[in-house]
Amino acid sequence: SNSPLTMSLCSSHANSDYEESIDNNSNGSKKIFKKLTYEEVERSLNRHYTRESQISSEIDILLTYLKGQKHIFKQSSRVTEQKFNFLMFPAIFITGSMTVVTPFLTEIGWSGWVMSILNALLTVMITINNFMKWQAVAAIYLTISNQYDKLSISVEMTRNQYMFVESYEERNKMILEKMKDTEKRIMDIQFNYNDVLIPYEVQLLNPIISHINIFSFIKKIEHHKKSLIVKYKDIKNEIRYILYKWEKENQETTIEEKKHNEEAEKIQKLMVRKEDTKHLLMQNSSSVVYSYIDNLFVREIQHSEHYYTYRSAGMYYIFSPKPLETFECGNPVVDDYLNFIFIDTKSNK
């Protein structure tokens, strides 16, 4: 019904882009063109998407982010503790072996060299452990992971309470306070443990979770959505103005066939641009974007858990992890934001 090829001046009144494009002046005798405003377009696009569903989506993505942070710090603790054990267990075994074997090797000439080498190796291993402080760092990672776990439980309980509050104002106040408190506590964690870096192995296996700033991401998605609405509004107004001009020419002047053919081609291109922009707006909706991010987080967690073996403890140069592949049908809005992470798998084939 929106195709200009099947559109006539008489049927243009039924076109959705022509509706309310004209208005009467004060004396009701002359029709004038009326532009759509940003608020009208936004209200039209969001008529099936309430503020409550948007708030629920934002809580869900915040929960996803907290669970992701809990995962990477827990895995950092395991990897760091694994490095400590790889040096400490052999050191304990060497110490016990030297205590037992030394009396039996006293009469052998080369026993002194063996004991010196073992003592030197033991000293190096213990010194490396003391210098790197892997045991203390692993405990710090575990503490941060537990703090993110408590935060996620607190947010989840608030989300459950949100469902039983009837007042719209109280709901908004509750969620706003919880998000502000959560953001403050996240900033406190980052400030208190600013010098603690996530191990490179964990960053390789969890690139999105390790690098994404969820609050910056939400702001950029909302900004991108507003720019798409402005673009959609301009296209709609241009289409409506052409339809209004056609209607005016039909009433007042003789229609020029060549001019209308050029405008028909132009309006056809505008219709295609309008549908493309509308499709991008649908992909940019909070529920779609946050659901896609949640899927990315789940994939990374499963990928890193599957890879987590002895290879992950500093041996990624020998046993390098497989790169995280993109979805066959991803979300272009999120992919553009995360373009520094995804790998073009086709070029590697």
Side-chain angles (χ1 to χ4, degrees):
S1 61
N2 286 339
S3 175
L5 301 178
T6 59
M7 211 169 14
S8 66
L9 295 178
C10 296
S11 64
S12 63
H13 290 284
N15 189 277
S16 62
D17 291 308
Y18 183 77
E19 293 174 359
E20 297 181 359
S21 62
I22 58 175
D23 195 7
N24 294 332
N25 62 2
S26 57
N27 56 19
S29 60
K30 186 179 179 180
K31 294 179 179 180
I32 60 175
F33 178 72
K34 178 185 176 183
K35 281 188 176 183
L36 285 172
T37 63
Y38 176 89
E39 290 74 16
E40 290 174 337
V41 175
E42 185 179 27
R43 190 163 51 248
S44 174
L45 292 170
N46 294 336
R47 63 181 179 272
H48 300 303
Y49 188 70
T50 63
R51 176 61 179 164
E52 291 184 1
S53 58
Q54 181 180 1
I55 291 175
S56 178
S57 299
E58 291 178 355
I59 295 176
D60 290 338
I61 193 62
L62 183 59
L63 272 173
T64 301
Y65 172 77
L66 293 173
K67 291 177 181 178
Q69 295 301 305
K70 169 192 169 184
H71 163 74
I72 61 172
F73 281 105
K74 185 176 181 180
Q75 192 170 58
S76 298
S77 175
R78 290 192 297 176
V79 169
T80 306
E81 188 175 359
Q82 201 174 48
K83 294 177 182 179
F84 174 80
N85 293 337
F86 275 1
L87 288 179
M88 205 61 195
F89 284 165
I92 295 172
F93 177 76
I94 291 173
T95 303
S97 300
M98 289 176 61
T99 304
V100 174
V101 176
T102 299
F104 301 97
L105 297 178
T106 54
E107 298 181 357
I108 301 177
W110 48 264
S111 62
W113 293 95
V114 173
M115 293 302 150
S116 297
I117 293 173
L118 291 177
N119 277 320
L121 181 62
L122 184 64
T123 303
V124 169
M125 295 171 70
I126 295 176
T127 303
I128 291 175
N129 264 334
N130 292 335
F131 176 76
M132 300 301 295
K133 300 179 180 179
W134 278 327
Q135 190 174 24
V137 173
I140 293 175
Y141 284 138
L142 187 60
T143 301
I144 298 174
S145 175
N146 291 335
Q147 290 185 12
Y148 277 112
D149 185 32
K150 292 177 181 178
L151 267 178
S152 64
I153 293 174
S154 176
V155 173
E156 193 165 2
M157 291 180 65
T158 302
R159 185 184 63 174
N160 295 335
Q161 294 175 2
Y162 173 84
M163 305 301 296
F164 297 97
V165 178
E166 297 182 357
S167 174
Y168 179 76
E169 289 76 12
E170 290 183 6
R171 284 184 173 186
N172 284 344
K173 183 178 178 182
M174 178 192 302
I175 297 302
L176 183 61
E177 290 179 353
K178 175 52 65 174
M179 294 191 72
K180 286 183 177 179
D181 179 64
T182 303
E183 185 175 6
K184 181 179 179 299
R185 292 177 67 181
I186 291 175
M187 294 302 296
D188 289 341
I189 293 173
Q190 294 179 353
F191 178 78
N192 293 332
Y193 301 99
N194 189 39
D195 56 340
V196 177
L197 300 178
I198 298 174
Y200 185 62
E201 307 94 304
V202 178
Q203 294 185 35
L204 282 176
L205 298 172
N206 304 273
I208 299 176
I209 301 176
S210 301
H211 295 90
I212 192 172
N213 184 327
I214 196 62
F215 298 103
S216 173
F217 173 75
I218 292 175
K219 291 177 182 178
K220 288 188 176 183
I221 290 297
E222 289 301 319
H223 177 73
H224 184 66
K225 181 179 179 181
K226 290 180 180 179
S227 63
L228 286 176
I229 292 177
V230 172
K231 182 180 178 181
Y232 186 75
K233 172 184 71 72
D234 293 339
I235 296 173
K236 289 271 290 183
N237 281 330
E238 195 170 353
I239 293 173
R240 289 153 63 91
Y241 179 72
I242 294 175
L243 296 176
Y244 161 75
K245 190 167 62 173
W246 284 5
E247 174 69 13
K248 188 176 180 181
E249 289 174 351
N250 187 44
Q251 293 177 357
E252 299 178 1
T253 62
T254 304
I255 302 175
E256 298 179 8
E257 189 65 28
K258 182 179 179 181
K259 183 179 179 182
H260 270 231
N261 287 338
E262 293 177 353
E263 289 183 341
E265 293 179 2
K266 182 179 180 180
I267 204 172
Q268 180 69 46
K269 294 178 181 179
L270 288 171
M271 288 290 185
V272 174
R273 287 176 56 195
K274 187 189 84 168
E275 292 302 318
D276 292 342
T277 307
K278 190 174 182 179
H279 182 66
L280 287 175
L281 279 167
M282 292 174 61
Q283 290 181 324
N284 199 79
S285 64
S286 299
S287 57
V288 175
V289 169
Y290 297 159
S291 176
Y292 180 62
I293 282 289
D294 184 71
N295 290 334
L296 290 179
F297 274 44
V298 171
R299 286 177 68 236
E300 278 197 355
I301 292 173
Q302 292 177 348
H303 177 70
S304 61
E305 288 290 344
H306 175 72
Y307 175 78
Y308 176 75
T309 60
Y310 70 93
R311 300 175 297 175
S312 61
M315 301 185 67
Y316 48 85
Y317 287 112
I318 302 174
F319 303 99
S320 59
K322 294 181 179 180
L324 183 66
E325 298 181 355
T326 60
F327 280 141
E328 291 294 330
C329 299
N331 188 302
V333 177
V334 181
D335 293 348
D336 288 341
Y337 178 80
L338 302 174
N339 58 0
F340 62 95
I341 292 174
F342 291 118
I343 298 174
D344 187 4
T345 55
K346 294 182 180 179
S347 62
N348 297 332
K349 293 181 181 179

